[in-house]
Amino acid sequence: MPKKILLIEPLKCKGCLRCELICSFVKGTIFNITISRIRLLRFTENEIYYPTTCEQCFTPPCKDACPVEAIKIDAETGAITVDEELCIGCQQCFFACPLGRVSRVPHSKIPIICDLCGGNPPCVEECEYDAIKFVNFDKANNEVRKSRIKNISKLLELIM
Amino acid sequence: MNKNLAALFIDLTSEKTQVKKIKPDFLKMFLGGSGIGWMLAAEYIKPETHPFSPENPIIISVGALVGTLCPGASKISAITKFPTLASADGKNFIGECTGGTRYFGLMLKMAGYSHLIIVGKASKPIYLKIYDDEIEFKDASGFWGKNYSTDYVANKLLEDEGEDSGVIVIGKAGEKKVFHALTFVDKMSTLGRGGLGAVMGSKNLKAIVVRGTKAIKIADSKKFIEEVHKVRSRIIKWPHFKQWITRGMGGSGWEIFRNTQYPGKWKKTKWDKLYGEKIKETFDRVQACISCIISCKNTWTIRNGKFAGDKGFSPATAKVATSGQLLDVEDYRKMLHLYKVANDEGIDFYTTTRLIDFVTTLYHQGKLTEHDTQGMKLSRSYDCYLDLLYKIVNREKFGDVLADGWFGLYNKTNIDPQEYWYGGICKGVDFIYDARPSHFHPLMMTFFTRPRPHHGGSHTLTNVPGKSIEEIKEQVIKWGLDETTVNKIFTPTPYSGKFNVGIYTKYMEDMMRVKNALGICSIYTFMGLIFGEDMANLYSAATGLEMSASDLLKCGERIFNLSKLLNVREGFTREDDKPPEIWFKPMISPEGKIVLKDYFGSKIFQKEDIERILDDYYKERGWDVKRGIPTREKLVKLGLTKIINVEDFL
């Protein structure tokens, strides 16, 4: 169980892509948003951006779906990790995630899932608009409820 | 970074493409982005090419630092020969337009290209799809000649080709080759005052969609990220930071706009009430370009009235309010609607509304007759303005004359564009600011000294009224100028006032070329958030080439000289770098007469003063002062003779 999780408030997102850029930079010392663990969903008609990343489930369907046990839970942070050595690239995790938060990368068989960067995710600091927060798990309950209601109702109004 | 240095050459006629590697050696001379773009322009733009001929290339460059975390690095630029008539005898300037992007710059680089060179003409309407190494020429006849807005077409293309694609589209004005048709980038920026949209239209090119999957590499990633965070931590301490990221420039900038863009027809208090206050009600959300942490743009919606539900992008305050006052339209919603229609149709709102202001007034005064307007009855009414806008877009009746711009009007009616009362006109382009209410500072000067008379990013602290000489000097020093130069700029003269605008402008134009080559937004530099040394450190870390702030400026000067050289070949001289006549007549406003003064308002400028300032400008450039063009010696000194045969240009 993760101690802290990423909490995203999409309405605060201005679409600058800095979270995607820093993620690729930290993970690969390159800038390439296709390998970012956090991805912006773009609703083009109203130019609404919804940053999405792994929600760190208790019993992750991606982990259950992995036939070679390449998906593990980090003992330290409680975050989901992918063992690239073990991964056979079957993509079952990609289809298993009910939220669509596992990413496939062009030219690579390894799926990518946010591992919370060892408990210090730089995307949080990189977001100048406070759209990404890293909150204690026990505190997250109410924060999540509130932000979901606020964001979803407003988003529906904007997108629909 | 150097791995992403390649130009994709596309011939629309033969549908052949070729990747041309650019030697990293050229970075030392031209930095990258539009700097290299100008080098390509010298190779690909041939003399006496008509802007609408298939041979006229469109060269799109992505700034060297775009696609990285460098704050404000989001700009692309396009170089082409623009269709705007720069003189009555039909000269055309070769210019560079630049604008912020969200996906286009990033995705072009991720597809593996720093530059795009588009030549030829497609046999039928198409759009270009670039996905890494795959280039497709796709049918766009479903969009062409239809009543679809630029926004609609962009949305459709994003839906079909992937929502994280970069997209440039033209509207109907571009299809109809209206000389002041623009392009729209990533649904958030305009690109190409002077007619880039028409050049695309002449090529049957409706849109460019680009996506990529490749990495953007950094030479020294540790040093680079340190520099990024150093700059960022300074920017977030900027006193206006919170206000900007919550309200954008549109929501925060009225105080600056009302003082600099005042057309002087209404009292300022009336203007505040009708526009300054009212436009705030339309604010929706702030929008950022890629990597931007101060986000000046915003989206807006008209909340009520006949045009309720109209939506748009970009800080509309200044444009809509200024044109609203010129056209005497008191309802801001009507002007916002006009602005939306201009964007939907892909036409320059500034030029169009000013042309409309000009002709409807002249008609009202009897100086333009029904014979001139091909039977159209013009009036100073909103309905007439809207009708004229559509007529221009569709090139119908009198609209066809206005679609050829200020000199198009002159050639048909003999009415001199210099008689227009607001802003001023040079090389066939109307200025977005009038130097009388704004005061004369480097941005005003660069409107008529640079080849394409639009700012192109040459802002300095003097854009903001009321700064002290110490503040202005401090910013100039931080741009990496040596002490002798700084002293030269700030030595008062009887003809220029407390600082020498001519010398100042030379260096600010060179700095503009640096910013455009790196892709850094001018708002960061003119607000004093990023300086020469920051840019040098970021650039050095990204490319592995050690560069100082003064090295960058030297490159900027080289790029500027090259851009001028291409225009010298087209016949441009000092004769064309003329301050507008209207600036030397007082603006009659409800606040009294407003005359042309220096930045501090302490000295009134006569024409002779400006001519002397211009002398100083050319002298500082090391050019032929009489002709206003580069000398051979200067070009040798800048090393340009090593890459081109300068005799072909001079």
Side-chain angles (χ1 to χ4, degrees):
Chain A
M1 178 174 112
K3 290 173 197 152
K4 286 178 107 178
I5 59 164
L6 289 170
L7 185 62
I8 291 163
E9 288 189 61
L11 283 175
K12 288 187 176 169
C13 176
K14 314 296 179 208
C16 73
L17 304 173
R18 286 186 82 85
C19 54
E20 295 192 356
L21 290 170
I22 190 72
C23 185
S24 67
F25 191 78
V26 167
K27 295 298 181 196
T29 53
I30 49 164
F31 292 112
N32 184 344
I33 61 170
T34 64
I35 67 157
S36 173
R37 272 70 174 161
I38 184 164
R39 291 307 303 270
L40 263 59
L41 273 181
R42 181 186 187 190
F43 295 90
T44 53
E45 256 179 51
N46 292 290
E47 286 300 309
I48 305 266
Y49 291 81
Y50 198 130
T52 58
T53 190
C54 175
E55 301 273 353
Q56 310 292 344
C57 307
F58 280 2
T59 48
C62 56
K63 184 172 177 286
D64 291 346
C66 182
V68 291
E69 294 184 17
I71 295 183
K72 297 168 184 170
I73 307 285
D74 186 273
E76 182 77 15
T77 60
I80 293 164
T81 60
V82 182
D83 188 327
E84 295 188 8
E85 295 286 307
L86 292 178
C87 175
I88 53 169
C90 71
Q91 313 294 337
Q92 286 308 309
C93 53
F94 174 79
F95 292 106
C97 178
L99 300 170
R101 304 295 166 81
V102 176
S103 294
R104 293 203 286 187
V105 185
H107 323 299
S108 164
K109 65 169 191 169
I110 315 282
I112 49 174
I113 305 174
C114 171
D115 61 2
L116 299 175
C117 288
N120 188 22
C123 52
V124 178
E125 205 210 325
E126 210 57 51
C127 181
E128 228 57 76
Y129 306 102
D130 291 332
I132 313 167
K133 282 190 216 153
F134 197 43
V135 297
N136 281 330
F137 190 80
D138 51 3
K139 209 184 150 216
N141 267 334
N142 273 342
E143 292 243 358
V144 168
R145 286 191 191 110
K146 274 192 234 162
S147 89
R148 286 300 136 89
I149 291 168
K150 256 197 298 192
N151 283 305
I152 301 291
S153 56
K154 182 79 180 156
L155 278 171
L156 284 176
E157 185 190 311
L158 289 167
I159 295 163
M160 293 300 170
Chain B
M1 184 62 66
N2 304 352
K3 290 227 167 63
N4 300 79
L5 201 60
L8 174 62
F9 179 86
I10 299 172
D11 186 341
L12 298 173
T13 313
S14 64
E15 298 202 348
K16 285 208 170 93
T17 65
Q18 199 187 346
V19 180
K20 297 180 183 248
K21 284 276 162 208
I22 296 162
K23 278 195 206 139
D25 293 354
F26 289 122
L27 286 178
K28 278 183 217 145
M29 286 184 85
F30 297 104
L31 300 173
S34 64
I36 298 272
W38 277 105
M39 192 187 85
L40 297 169
E43 186 182 344
Y44 286 96
I45 302 181
K46 304 293 177 208
E48 284 164 45
T49 304
H50 190 277
F52 292 150
S53 82
E55 287 75 35
N56 184 26
I58 298 172
I59 299 164
I60 296 176
S61 314
V62 187
L65 298 180
V66 176
T68 74
L69 275 169
C70 169
S74 66
K75 288 204 297 192
I76 62 166
S77 73
I79 300 170
T80 193
K81 193 169 182 183
F82 285 80
T84 286
L85 301 171
S87 59
D89 58 0
K91 272 197 304 234
N92 302 108
F93 49 81
I94 296 164
E96 167 196 350
C97 48
T98 177
T101 67
R102 179 170 278 153
Y103 283 102
F104 197 92
L106 169 76
M107 282 300 172
L108 191 59
K109 262 205 186 161
M110 283 177 62
Y113 317 106
S114 55
H115 295 79
L116 264 186
I117 307 164
I118 303 168
V119 300
K121 183 184 175 179
S123 56
K124 58 175 184 357
I126 58 136
Y127 72 89
L128 267 177
K129 182 194 168 185
I130 301 164
Y131 181 63
D132 286 345
D133 306 333
E134 296 165 28
I135 292 103
E136 285 180 72
F137 301 80
K138 296 183 86 165
D139 182 26
S141 45
F143 297 125
W144 198 274
K146 307 282 193 295
N147 285 324
Y148 294 140
S149 70
T150 47
D151 202 51
Y152 173 87
V153 175
N155 279 335
K156 269 275 168 227
L157 292 172
L158 289 171
E159 201 177 287
D160 292 350
E161 309 295 357
E163 276 141 6
D164 53 0
S165 305
V167 59
I168 298 182
V169 293
I170 60 165
K172 210 192 228 176
E175 294 171 14
K176 295 273 183 186
K177 296 189 279 237
V178 174
F179 287 4
H180 43 282
L182 295 167
T183 70
F184 290 78
V185 187
D186 289 344
K187 297 182 67 217
M188 68 181 314
S189 293
T190 54
L191 184 71
R193 281 200 88 202
L196 180 66
V199 178
M200 270 178 75
S202 75
K203 297 190 176 311
N204 270 337
L205 181 59
K206 180 72 183 175
I208 307 166
V209 190
V210 58
R211 256 177 100 202
T213 62
K214 296 173 193 171
I216 297 166
K217 292 186 177 130
I218 294 292
D220 186 342
S221 34
K222 192 169 165 279
K223 192 175 152 217
F224 184 77
I225 207 77
E226 275 171 17
E227 278 302 322
V228 165
H229 287 137
K230 200 174 92 191
V231 172
R232 203 193 70 170
S233 58
R234 196 175 62 226
I235 297 171
I236 58 177
K237 288 186 198 121
W238 181 46
H240 305 294
F241 180 72
K242 273 276 167 240
Q243 192 190 355
W244 274 55
I245 66 168
T246 44
R247 299 291 299 171
M249 185 161 61
S252 322
W254 179 249
E255 280 307 307
I256 298 175
F257 293 135
R258 77 190 284 272
N259 289 318
T260 54
Q261 301 217 347
Y262 182 49
K265 285 195 161 185
W266 298 341
K267 263 187 169 286
K268 278 190 184 171
T269 45
K270 177 180 173 182
W271 203 27
D272 286 339
K273 212 172 108 209
L274 293 177
Y275 280 84
E277 288 303 314
K278 290 289 181 189
I279 283 179
K280 284 183 193 159
E281 292 170 15
T282 65
F283 176 88
D284 276 336
R285 281 181 309 284
V286 159
Q287 275 193 306
C289 291
I290 181 166
S291 290
C292 183
I293 60 174
I294 57 171
S295 61
C296 72
K297 297 179 194 258
N298 68 273
T299 54
W300 51 263
T301 307
I302 301 179
R303 310 271 172 223
N304 45 40
K306 192 177 162 192
F307 304 115
D310 272 11
K311 285 174 184 298
F313 63 87
S314 123
T317 331
K319 294 176 198 171
V320 169
T322 310
S323 296
Q325 195 180 142
L326 285 168
L327 295 172
D328 212 15
V329 175
E330 296 195 346
D331 187 342
Y332 72 101
R333 293 167 300 189
K334 284 183 173 174
M335 282 313 289
L336 268 178
H337 178 72
L338 202 67
Y339 180 51
K340 179 195 178 290
V341 173
N343 284 352
D344 284 353
E345 305 291 338
I347 200 168
D348 184 338
F349 180 76
Y350 283 118
T351 301
T352 308
T353 50
R354 279 151 208 207
L355 276 167
I356 291 173
D357 181 31
F358 196 33
V359 296
T360 51
T361 307
L362 293 175
Y363 188 90
H364 183 71
Q365 292 168 343
K367 291 178 187 162
L368 203 67
T369 63
E370 225 173 296
H371 172 74
D372 298 318
T373 62
Q374 300 173 26
M376 277 181 74
K377 287 186 174 59
L378 304 186
S379 66
R380 294 285 289 169
S381 71
Y382 182 72
D383 290 344
C384 175
Y385 305 151
L386 198 57
D387 181 46
L388 263 176
L389 193 150
Y390 281 115
K391 290 255 181 341
I392 296 171
V393 168
N394 292 300
R395 281 188 171 276
E396 283 168 11
K397 291 188 179 173
F398 188 47
D400 190 33
V401 175
L402 298 180
D404 286 354
W406 297 94
F407 279 111
L409 180 68
Y410 172 79
N411 289 338
K412 283 271 157 53
T413 63
N414 232 10
I415 291 168
D416 186 358
Q418 291 300 334
E419 281 174 27
Y420 184 54
W421 36 84
Y422 178 73
I425 287 157
C426 180
K427 299 178 194 118
V429 180
D430 46 291
F431 299 167
I432 59 168
Y433 298 100
D434 190 310
R436 289 168 294 175
S438 308
H439 292 180
F440 191 74
H441 52 70
L443 186 85
M444 296 300 149
M445 183 146 172
T446 202
F447 280 154
F448 58 88
T449 51
R450 76 182 288 245
R452 175 177 157 271
H454 190 58
H455 62 73
S458 48
H459 303 78
T460 69
L461 194 61
T462 50
N463 273 46
V464 184
K467 296 285 169 191
S468 69
I469 190 106
E470 288 75 28
E471 286 173 288
I472 297 165
K473 198 169 177 178
E474 191 194 333
Q475 192 183 66
V476 173
I477 292 167
K478 283 184 176 167
W479 271 330
L481 301 191
D482 61 55
E483 212 184 317
T484 325
T485 311
V486 174
N487 289 339
K488 228 185 322 180
I489 293 172
F490 291 94
T491 303
T493 71
Y495 50 91
S496 70
K498 285 188 197 166
F499 57 73
N500 191 318
V501 191
I503 301 175
Y504 191 176
T505 302
K506 185 259 175 198
Y507 291 98
M508 293 312 109
E509 282 178 344
D510 294 347
M511 182 49 82
M512 165 190 75
R513 295 298 179 190
V514 175
K515 288 184 260 179
N516 291 353
L518 269 52
I520 293 178
C521 176
S522 59
I523 287 181
Y524 281 75
T525 49
F526 99 82
M527 287 291 179
L529 305 174
I530 284 185
F531 300 107
E533 200 189 312
D534 303 322
M535 283 195 243
N537 291 342
L538 286 160
Y539 183 80
S540 303
T543 58
L545 297 169
E546 276 309 316
M547 289 274 205
S548 68
S550 62
D551 292 338
L552 293 186
L553 268 174
K554 199 88 216 140
C555 291
E557 186 184 15
R558 186 175 296 119
I559 300 163
F560 194 91
N561 272 263
L562 184 57
S563 74
K564 185 72 185 184
L565 209 49
L566 263 77
N567 284 281
V568 171
R569 189 175 59 184
E570 301 296 323
F572 287 88
T573 64
R574 181 165 175 164
E575 274 297 295
D576 301 282
D577 295 353
K578 269 196 180 141
E581 295 291 328
I582 194 76
W583 287 3
F584 303 103
K585 293 171 192 157
M587 177 189 270
I588 312 294
S589 83
E591 269 89 10
K593 284 183 182 175
I594 306 173
V595 293
L596 185 66
K597 286 181 180 168
D598 71 322
Y599 175 74
F600 298 100
S602 54
K603 184 191 156 41
I604 296 172
F605 283 135
Q606 308 297 338
K607 220 181 213 175
E608 304 78 65
D609 298 320
I610 304 290
E611 287 303 322
R612 288 193 69 182
I613 291 169
L614 255 176
D615 286 348
D616 285 356
Y617 166 83
Y618 294 123
K619 229 179 277 165
E620 193 63 23
R621 284 224 163 275
W623 290 1
D624 179 337
V625 174
K626 227 170 136 196
R627 295 173 66 208
I629 65 171
T631 57
R632 195 176 194 286
E633 298 75 62
K634 183 75 207 178
L635 299 170
V636 170
K637 223 171 149 191
L638 290 169
L640 282 168
T641 40
K642 281 184 228 150
I643 68 144
I644 48 165
N645 185 12
V646 297
E647 272 69 29
D648 295 346
F649 294 85
L650 286 172

